[in-house]
Amino acid sequence: MTVDDANAGGGAEPPTYPTPHHEVDHTAEPTHDPLAIRLEQLILGADRRYTPFQAARTAGVSMELASRFWRAMGFADIGQAKALTEADVLALRRLAGLVEAGLLSEPMAVQVARSTGQTTARLAEWQIDSFLEGLTEPPEPGMTRTEVTYPLVELLLPELEEFLIYVWRRQLAAATGRVVQAADDEEMVDRRLAVGFADLVGFTRLTRRLEEEELGELVEAFETTCADLVAAHGGRLIKTLGDEVLYCADDPGTAAEIALRLIETLGHDETMPALRVGIAFGTVTTRMGDVFGTTVNLASRLTSIAPKDAVLVDGALAEELTRTGEAPASEAEAAEEAARAEKEGRRAATYRFALQPMWQRPVRGLGVVEPWLLSRRPT
């Protein structure tokens, strides 16, 4: 439906497009609180000028497409309230321009809007919950939080904006490098990766014992530790789910090292529950920063059956570690080779990891699998 279609019929009220019930609204309804409006104007850098219908018309975009973009970005339906700015018009015009120029298909433009909206919504929530709240406690009795927040946001906004752009460019450069190194176009979407899940044991029971603040601190410490270790050792953190993290790595040895580091590091923290990790290696479909496929499902299943403070891997990852010389094909043969090397006065082969075959077992939806227990070999 175009804007002209909506105008047909002698000034009829333009249609609204309510947000579907399964969508999550990340932006609040327009407020009439004067101080809140001042903060909004400061952050957006512009006054409210347009209704959604007017913004779409000014941008030269159909109301239907504009609504699809706004929903994808996580914006709440505001009916026909005058709550949009020149920046909203420009954003619509840019997205629609990419489609018109043939640089993006319409579904791809919607995906760009959705991925950006979901990522920045979480970032904004984190910054408000964990950052601004701690800095905006009124220093003097009688002062409101908003009165403290306004000058603080005024100072921080340009710095945080520049930092966000810097981090995004660095991440974009790294992601682009991985794509151009892919062997072919199919590998850009369906790639062989090592996928790992790390899961806190007994987290549900723990939530019944801990106060909300204690629980929040534990989850934050867990996610922060995992994120730091994954990044430091060359993996990529895909997502965190409170008591669980999902990461991946191009190299199976990297994924295995990360898993053992997680067990070792969190095992020394008395406040943390036991951890279990599952890793699988194989073809993975990547989409909107997430990973999908049988390999991901297998890693999740391995995690659910792993012993406490232990790592289970699938046969494909075990085979790859053996092929690259990072784990021996047989512990008995490795011991015999070490004895011969010592007797002959030469240096024996060294391995980073040890693999112990476990009992084969059926895994729901994936048939029978033979997991391997991964451990670190003594130096």
Side-chain angles (χ1 to χ4, degrees):
M1 181 177 187
T2 65
V3 172
D4 291 335
D5 294 333
N7 281 333
E13 184 70 14
T16 60
Y17 296 84
T19 304
H21 70 277
H22 61 273
E23 293 283 353
V24 177
D25 294 337
H26 295 296
T27 52
E29 294 288 342
T31 179
H32 297 290
D33 182 280
L35 290 175
I37 291 176
R38 284 184 61 216
L39 273 171
E40 178 191 282
Q41 290 172 339
L42 171 66
I43 294 170
L44 298 181
D47 297 333
R48 300 175 177 184
R49 289 189 56 185
Y50 304 101
T51 66
F53 179 73
Q54 291 169 337
R57 180 176 59 190
T58 304
V61 177
S62 73
M63 187 64 198
E64 181 180 8
L65 182 57
S67 295
R68 289 185 65 198
F69 284 151
W70 287 325
R71 289 173 188 168
M73 286 184 275
F75 298 162
D77 174 53
I78 58 172
Q80 288 305 315
K82 185 174 285 189
L84 302 180
T85 71
E86 289 288 351
D88 295 294
V89 171
L90 181 59
L92 282 180
R93 192 175 291 149
R94 280 176 170 160
L95 275 175
L98 291 172
V99 174
E100 291 173 5
L103 296 174
L104 294 178
S105 65
E106 189 173 304
M108 182 62 70
V110 172
Q111 286 185 10
V112 168
R114 192 179 307 282
S115 61
T116 306
Q118 290 177 353
T119 303
T120 53
R122 184 178 182 189
L123 174 62
E125 289 289 346
W126 182 89
Q127 288 175 332
I128 293 299
D129 291 343
S130 304
F131 185 49
L132 286 180
E133 279 193 5
L135 295 176
T136 55
E137 290 295 334
E140 297 179 10
M143 293 187 68
T144 67
R145 183 179 295 275
T146 305
E147 288 172 333
V148 179
T149 301
Y150 189 93
L152 182 64
V153 171
E154 192 172 27
L155 290 172
L156 287 176
L157 187 62
E159 301 300 326
L160 292 177
E161 183 177 22
E162 288 295 326
F163 186 70
L164 174 62
I165 294 172
Y166 155 74
V167 174
W168 171 70
R169 284 183 177 271
R170 292 292 303 180
Q171 294 286 3
L172 188 64
T176 303
R178 291 192 294 269
V179 168
V180 299
Q181 291 174 31
D184 50 45
D185 290 343
E186 288 187 4
E187 190 179 335
M188 291 167 57
V189 178
D190 296 316
R191 308 166 56 191
R192 284 177 64 79
L193 296 174
V195 178
F197 275 95
D199 177 58
L200 291 175
V201 180
F203 184 77
T204 302
R205 292 193 302 273
L206 197 63
T207 59
R208 302 191 190 105
R209 299 201 329 258
L210 295 180
E211 299 290 336
E212 288 185 6
E213 185 173 347
E214 293 176 310
L215 188 63
E217 290 175 354
L218 184 143
V219 169
E220 183 175 358
F222 170 64
E223 291 184 349
T224 299
T225 301
C226 291
D228 289 348
L229 286 173
V230 169
H233 293 280
R236 295 191 298 284
L237 188 69
I238 301 300
K239 58 187 172 185
T240 59
L241 304 170
D243 63 332
E244 189 175 60
V245 298
L246 169 61
Y247 71 92
C248 68
D250 297 315
D251 173 53
T254 297
E257 180 66 28
I258 289 170
L260 293 174
R261 293 273 182 172
L262 289 172
I263 296 289
E264 294 160 357
T265 302
L266 294 173
H268 286 93
D269 188 341
E270 296 181 355
T271 66
M272 284 288 169
L275 187 71
R276 54 192 176 190
V277 183
I279 317 174
F281 180 66
T283 302
V284 175
T285 297
T286 59
R287 185 179 178 87
M288 291 180 65
D290 208 342
V291 290
F292 307 92
T294 302
T295 302
V296 181
N297 296 337
L298 179 54
S300 178
R301 299 287 189 271
L302 289 171
T303 305
S304 66
I305 62 175
K308 292 181 180 180
D309 290 326
V311 182
L312 285 186
V313 305
D314 73 331
L317 192 130
E319 182 180 346
E320 193 68 13
L321 291 179
T322 301
R323 186 187 67 80
T324 57
E326 295 184 279
S330 164
E331 287 294 331
E333 291 178 5
E336 291 176 3
E337 168 60 22
R340 282 196 300 269
E342 184 178 3
K343 185 176 180 179
E344 296 170 4
R346 58 183 174 83
R347 189 172 182 179
T350 57
Y351 303 97
R352 275 206 292 171
F353 309 115
L355 292 165
Q356 177 186 341
M358 307 292 283
W359 292 104
Q360 289 186 353
R361 64 191 73 189
V363 175
R364 180 166 51 88
L366 297 171
V368 177
V369 300
E370 181 183 8
W372 294 71
L373 184 67
L374 175 78
S375 60
R376 192 183 299 284
R377 288 178 62 86
T379 56

